[in-house]
Amino acid sequence: MTIHVKNNIHWVGQRDWEVRDFHGTEYKTLKGTSYNSYLIREGKNVLIDTVDHKFSREFVQNLAAVIDLASIDYVVINHAEEDHAGALSELMARIPGTPIYCTHNAIDSITGHHHHPEWNFHPVKTGDSLDIGNGKQLVFIETPMLHWPDSMMTYMTGDAVLFSNDAFGQHYCDEHLFNDEVDQTELMEQCQRYYANILTPFSPLVTAKIKEVLGFNLPVSMVATSHGVVWRDDPTQIILKYLEWADQYQEDRITLFYDSMSNNTRMMADAIAQGIHEVDPSVAVKIYNVSRHDKNEILTQVFRSKGILVGSSTMNNVMMPKVAGMLEEITGLRFRNKRAAAFGSYGWTGGAVDRIQTRLMDAGFDISFPLKTKWRPDGSALAECREHGRQIARQWALQPLAVPRSNTTHATAVTTATVIATPIATNDAIAMNNDRGMLCTVCQWIYDPALGEPDQLVAPETPWAAVPESFLCPGCGIGKEVFEPCTVGNRK
Ligand SMILES: Cc1cc2nc3c(=O)[nH]c(=O)nc-3n(C[C@H](O)[C@H](O)[C@H](O)COP(=O)(O)O)c2cc1C
């Protein structure tokens, strides 16, 4: 089956109505997804991306029904993940010598998955082009870490189609291919869910890359993604949305999530939310039990919120495990410019609330005062919870964060296994210490002035300010702009 996209471009992908889990079980694809592959038939025949590995046989059979496989001149792989390049082994078994155009990094990841180093790879860099006849060219644009080191986009001149791969996509399945043909509310919900859960950590790169691409002044008539719809009606709308979402996005919204063994912490959550609503009826407030609710929906709500309240009772001196898991996810997503506070019920010594506060601080949130209640809250404890909600509402409404975090020297405490953490008590201490280490917000590599970086010819004791602007992160190859001060100084 094929769908006509534009002129000599056809969709030859695969719909997947029934998939419900992605990246293991990390991402719930409640609306299914599609794997978009495109066949261009100009002077040269070009295949852009393939489909998920589980559809390899159907994909190659369908493709062979459309075109003599031997007449495919070039294969372009924008990204090596198995949902896009998964059918390569099946395809290349039929056309082994066909040139594969991809980034230099993709040779590593394609070979790492398919184990065919003998394939005819042609590595490309940003600005490289490939003549496909009839006066048209494919121009390649590397997009490292959006969302793998190997990622790139391909732009087709003449037709002005941007094959954007994962960027601007969404896990959404519909018999229609184009954005103007589907339910707009569903579509934008899935776009936002996709951005919040997958792209948030890379927001600084999203902004920089979009500005770079816009700087080329290329006309864009369509954005042909690798999941979900092809944007043909006002295709720049999704590009502008990405710029908005990448800019420390938030709405007038507060999200509470918690876990609870016997509903005591839940009673607190309800009362706190009532207090918030009393003071500020215009703020959107939503409550989620992490044990019962779709995790990706909660993370999307966190993405949309100006602040979050995280609750857990104490169990064996620590917080409940699902709350800990959520905090780990939130740390990885590197939200910025948001407030947070912990709450929870306990029986004797407690412990969960303090741990949550620390974890929220480590995750880069601006912390407000916590609230603890002993055992099941009675009338006066519930009144205290409502008053807590009122105070939170007042503080978060009247005292917006003055300066976006990305513009301050306020560091994020890093707790990955590869670094040795040095706790820092106050923002002032962080400011004084900000030459100690610099964290790559994309791949977590740490620049430690004490060690320098011999590979990059930066001598030990070189402060970050003196590191050349041409410095590239050895972890992901991206420049100084994605580094933030961090509270650690030693790389193992
Ligand atoms: C298995 C279990 C372990 C607990 N461990 C602790 C603990 O280490 N420290 C503490 O202060 N309370 C502890 N408690 C008491 C609970 O924190 C307390 O009952 C709380 O009110 C429960 O709130 P919830 O209904 O929101 O879960 C424990 C309770 C249970 C059932």
Side-chain angles (χ1 to χ4, degrees):
M1 176 204 168
T2 69
I3 302 173
H4 182 237
V5 175
K6 182 175 183 182
N7 297 335
N8 297 319
I9 306 170
H10 286 81
W11 180 90
V12 289
Q14 175 72 44
R15 293 198 175 96
D16 193 348
W17 285 98
E18 67 176 37
V19 65
R20 287 295 175 268
D21 290 308
F22 227 79
H23 298 154
T25 55
E26 276 313 296
Y27 191 107
K28 296 283 176 210
T29 44
L30 305 179
K31 304 279 180 185
T33 195
S34 64
Y35 314 105
N36 297 337
S37 170
Y38 302 93
L39 181 63
I40 304 171
R41 307 183 80 159
E42 295 289 351
K44 300 287 185 184
N45 297 317
V46 185
L47 182 73
I48 306 238
D49 293 325
T50 70
V51 300
D52 191 272
H53 67 109
K54 68 187 176 196
F55 293 106
S56 293
R57 290 179 85 179
E58 290 106 306
F59 171 71
V60 174
Q61 270 172 13
N62 289 342
L63 194 61
V66 176
I67 186 171
D68 173 9
L69 296 181
S71 71
I72 296 176
D73 296 289
Y74 310 122
V75 174
V76 172
I77 295 294
N78 282 320
H79 172 34
E81 202 171 352
E82 61 182 14
D83 51 327
H84 308 295
L88 258 189
S89 286
E90 189 87 17
L91 178 68
M92 299 312 288
R94 306 275 292 270
I95 48 171
T98 306
I100 299 173
Y101 286 78
C102 61
T103 63
H104 191 75
N105 283 336
I107 298 176
D108 175 66
S109 43
I110 294 172
T111 307
H113 285 84
H114 296 269
H115 309 293
H116 283 287
E118 79 283 3
W119 283 349
N120 184 8
F121 290 111
H122 288 250
V124 294
K125 300 191 298 298
T126 296
D128 287 353
S129 61
L130 178 64
D131 197 328
I132 57 171
N134 299 335
K136 298 179 185 178
Q137 296 193 322
L138 296 180
V139 181
F140 304 105
I141 303 158
E142 294 168 278
T143 56
M145 293 315 294
L146 291 174
H147 65 127
W148 274 15
D150 59 30
S151 300
M152 70 170 186
M153 300 185 194
T154 299
Y155 176 79
M156 183 173 167
T157 65
D159 291 356
V161 175
L162 181 66
F163 298 95
S164 62
N165 197 259
D166 277 326
F168 314 124
Q170 67 296 143
H171 287 305
Y172 183 61
C173 197
D174 197 283
E175 281 300 308
H176 298 96
L177 180 63
F178 296 101
N179 67 310
D180 49 292
E181 299 175 316
V182 303
D183 182 311
Q184 298 300 295
T185 306
E186 272 189 356
L187 172 62
M188 290 319 285
E189 267 176 16
Q190 292 307 316
C191 288
Q192 193 178 52
R193 179 181 173 96
Y194 190 89
Y195 189 96
N197 283 271
I198 296 177
L199 288 165
T200 301
F202 312 118
S203 285
L205 291 179
V206 170
T207 309
K209 184 52 69 174
I210 289 178
K211 286 184 177 164
E212 180 191 324
V213 173
L214 293 178
F216 297 154
N217 278 327
L218 299 169
V220 176
S221 74
M222 280 189 192
V223 175
T225 66
S226 59
H227 292 298
V229 299
V230 169
W231 300 89
R232 72 174 174 189
D233 177 42
D234 186 14
T236 49
Q237 66 175 291
I238 189 63
I239 299 173
L240 295 177
K241 268 284 168 216
Y242 265 45
L243 283 174
E244 191 184 336
W245 289 336
D247 189 18
Q248 304 189 358
Y249 181 76
Q250 59 174 250
E251 300 167 13
D252 191 15
R253 174 177 294 272
I254 295 174
T255 297
L256 294 83
F257 67 81
Y258 66 89
D259 202 357
S260 174
M261 294 182 280
S262 49
N263 272 338
N264 300 348
T265 302
R266 174 193 170 164
M267 292 168 71
M268 294 179 71
D270 286 343
I272 294 168
Q274 286 163 15
I276 295 170
H277 183 72
E278 269 176 39
V279 165
D280 188 357
S282 64
V283 67
V285 184
K286 298 271 185 200
I287 305 181
Y288 300 92
N289 180 328
V290 292
S291 292
R292 299 178 203 281
H293 207 89
D294 169 29
K295 178 191 73 177
N296 303 110
E297 166 66 12
I298 301 174
L299 291 170
T300 307
Q301 292 293 332
V302 172
F303 170 78
R304 297 175 64 185
S305 296
K306 65 181 179 185
I308 61 171
L309 293 163
V310 181
S312 172
S313 50
T314 299
M315 193 179 75
N316 302 328
N317 297 321
V318 299
M319 72 187 89
M320 295 188 67
K322 287 201 172 63
V323 175
M326 283 299 286
L327 291 174
E328 196 70 359
E329 300 238 13
I330 283 173
T331 304
L333 288 174
R334 296 199 283 280
F335 292 108
R336 290 291 176 268
N337 196 30
K338 294 189 193 294
R339 297 175 180 277
F343 66 95
S345 174
Y346 69 103
W348 44 101
T349 50
V353 168
D354 295 341
R355 289 173 78 91
I356 295 171
Q357 287 282 102
T358 305
R359 297 282 299 280
L360 287 168
M361 201 183 315
D362 286 356
F365 285 80
D366 205 86
I367 300 303
S368 297
F369 40 94
L371 181 66
K372 304 173 188 175
T373 296
K374 199 166 182 200
W375 300 119
R376 172 157 302 182
D378 60 9
S380 75
L382 289 174
E384 195 189 340
C385 291
R386 278 191 288 276
E387 178 53 25
H388 183 72
R390 289 183 208 108
Q391 287 183 26
I392 289 281
R394 284 189 204 103
Q395 189 185 2
W396 292 4
L398 299 177
Q399 299 169 21
L401 293 174
V403 185
R405 268 178 179 274
S406 61
N407 296 340
T408 72
T409 54
H410 190 142
T412 302
V414 181
T415 52
T416 61
T418 54
V419 298
I420 302 165
T422 308
I424 289 179
T426 68
N427 290 2
D428 289 341
I430 293 166
M432 287 187 310
N433 235 347
N434 70 357
D435 255 352
R436 284 202 36 139
M438 294 297 291
L439 170 75
C440 174
T441 55
V442 173
C443 73
Q444 310 289 302
W445 187 88
I446 288 177
Y447 174 78
D448 182 343
L451 302 178
E453 185 45 52
D455 294 349
Q456 301 290 328
L457 303 178
V458 178
E461 307 302 334
T462 305
W464 182 248
V467 171
E469 290 308 310
S470 56
F471 176 89
L472 297 177
C473 171
C476 64
I478 298 170
K480 283 182 78 176
E481 67 275 11
V482 297
F483 279 77
E484 281 185 357
C486 67
T487 57
V488 292
N490 299 311
R491 191 171 63 246
K492 276 188 179 166

